[in-house]
Each structure stands twice: as C-alpha cells, then as structure tokens.
Amino acid sequence: MADYKRLTRSRTDRKIAGVCGGLAQYLNIDPTLVRIIFLILLLIIGGGLLIYLIIWICAPEA
C-alpha cells in the first residue's frame, strides 16, 4: 500500500481546534506562520475563517 501523509488536526500544538498545528505538520512549516497566514486571510480577504471551519470539520483529530 502507498505510504502517504494525511492532514489531521494536532492534539499537542493547538490554540483552538488544532487546525493550524496540523496544517503546519502536514506542510513541514512553523505553526506560527500558518496562524499568521490565516489571520491575514481573515483580515484582508475574509476567507480565512471559512477555510479554517472547513478544515476543522473535515480533518480528523490525530
């Protein structure tokens, strides 16, 4: 079977639901950077909250 990475919400690196921590693990980047990107998307475009909620609902907890 193919070995692949799966997007999950973090149990250890979480502020609200573990979405940013899980996404940072998946992308191998700093969780603070992911949080800043979501904040910028929220303030400038307004889509950050919608994207966050979709990932929160769809991604299982690790």
Side-chain angles (χ1 to χ4, degrees):
M1 180 165 228
D3 193 25
Y4 61 94
K5 290 178 15 175
R6 186 173 178 194
L7 176 62
T8 58
R9 293 182 289 135
S10 176
R11 285 184 164 194
T12 57
D13 189 13
R14 66 189 318 163
K15 298 294 181 196
I16 298 175
V19 171
C20 292
L23 195 57
Q25 274 182 332
Y26 183 77
L27 298 173
N28 292 324
I29 59 175
D30 186 31
T32 305
L33 182 62
V34 176
R35 290 182 182 104
I36 291 171
I37 291 170
F38 270 108
L39 181 63
I40 290 170
L41 286 173
L42 177 65
L43 295 175
I44 294 175
I45 301 171
L49 182 62
L50 180 63
I51 294 168
Y52 191 91
L53 290 174
I54 290 171
I55 296 173
W56 187 355
I57 292 168
C58 294
E61 195 165 5

